[in-house]
Amino acid sequence: MIAALPAAALAQSQPIVALPDQSSAIRLSNRDINHLICVGGEIEDVKFSAEKAIAVERAGADAWVKFLVKETDDAGQVARSFVTAPSEFFVACNGAIYPLYAEPADIPAQTVTLVPGTRQRAKANSELLGPLVEEERAVSITLSLLQDRIPASFSDIAPRNDAFSLTGLDGADLVERRAVQIEGAGLSASEYLIRAAHTIHLDERLFLDAALGSTIFAITLDRSDLKPNETARLIVIRRGEQP
């Protein structure tokens, strides 16, 4: 029998993600220090009501929000009063505004991740890949996938979850491990794992197949010869969106 977690533990384990230019209703700790993280840039400013009992500090990609506790001493009896009134924060992160409607609550410190929107990702990808010719873009994207170092500006897409085979490639199945959309560059890419049932030689031309996309312009294999139950990695880059 699985015991139910206390509300405070659930609040601590739930990740909080906010998008730009749309209001996010969140709960923050009214007694601990809460953490804001700007992904892919810096927090330039945090606007909030100066009349409220709030302290904010920022440095680079991070900001910390603390609701101040009021203490009163009545004949030696110290009482603490925690903030419960909601507050609005307007966080300038990476050239965009993140409106946060925060409800203070008796929960552990929270971490809020401010993720890039489509406009910010497109701008970052344009700066990253724009100076490169098409062949250099393909090499850069391929290496990022093979090295598992995906730029934050690439958008993860749910991969195809079933194994499948290609015409002309007998004795081998493919599984899509990762799929990304690269806004601002008009490109998308997938990484496939190829598993062989018997010894097989792979030729990159075999993967120019409509099942992998109709706008393929780059294909890379990390190995070409497989023995039974061995696996190869295949990177497919396309113009446009995922098929």
Side-chain angles (χ1 to χ4, degrees):
M1 186 182 210
I2 300 175
L5 289 173
L10 286 173
Q12 188 175 34
S13 63
Q14 295 287 335
I16 303 175
V17 175
L19 291 167
D21 307 318
Q22 63 183 55
S23 183
S24 297
I26 61 175
R27 299 174 75 218
L28 297 179
S29 174
N30 65 356
R31 56 187 66 214
D32 295 326
I33 299 174
N34 302 283
H35 187 194
L36 309 181
I37 302 173
C38 177
V39 176
E42 295 190 353
I43 295 180
E44 296 94 13
D45 197 8
V46 181
K47 299 289 188 185
F48 60 97
S49 177
E51 293 79 17
K52 296 192 175 182
I54 301 171
V56 175
E57 293 185 10
R58 58 185 176 86
D62 303 285
W64 296 268
V65 175
K66 177 74 168 71
F67 292 95
L68 303 180
V69 180
K70 182 180 180 180
E71 290 190 355
T72 56
D73 189 337
D74 184 7
Q77 296 295 319
V78 178
R80 286 184 151 199
S81 177
F82 295 92
V83 175
T84 56
S87 294
E88 286 186 300
F89 298 88
F90 297 90
V91 185
C93 156
N94 198 23
I97 300 297
Y98 293 73
L100 306 177
Y101 181 81
E103 176 190 347
D106 181 13
I107 57 177
Q110 301 293 291
T111 298
V112 182
T113 304
L114 311 175
V115 300
T118 301
R119 180 167 58 87
Q120 289 75 33
R121 291 194 298 269
K123 181 176 182 294
N125 289 330
S126 180
E127 292 172 352
L128 177 68
L129 300 172
L132 307 178
V133 299
E134 192 170 64
E135 291 78 7
E136 292 172 332
R137 291 185 184 186
V139 171
S140 176
I141 295 167
T142 297
L143 287 176
S144 72
L145 289 166
L146 288 175
Q147 296 171 358
D148 292 320
R149 299 177 62 181
I150 309 298
S153 53
F154 289 12
S155 299
D156 282 312
I157 299 171
R160 178 176 175 176
N161 58 14
D162 59 322
F164 62 99
S165 57
L166 299 178
T167 303
L169 190 63
D170 296 329
D173 290 332
L174 286 77
V175 174
E176 190 173 30
R177 175 175 180 255
R178 175 185 288 135
V180 296
Q181 189 72 36
I182 309 168
E183 290 101 344
L187 301 172
S188 61
S190 293
E191 176 190 349
Y192 298 92
L193 300 180
I194 307 169
R195 184 176 295 275
H198 53 73
T199 300
I200 189 173
H201 176 76
L202 302 175
D203 187 319
E204 290 176 345
R205 291 171 295 182
L206 293 172
F207 299 98
L208 292 172
D209 192 297
L212 300 180
S214 59
T215 56
I216 296 172
F217 82 90
I219 290 176
T220 302
L221 282 166
D222 73 337
R223 59 191 301 187
S224 56
D225 293 299
L226 291 180
K227 294 179 181 179
N229 297 319
E230 288 186 339
T231 301
R233 298 170 71 188
L234 168 72
I235 308 299
V236 176
I237 302 176
R238 314 172 189 84
R239 297 181 182 88
E241 299 184 355
Q242 297 289 107

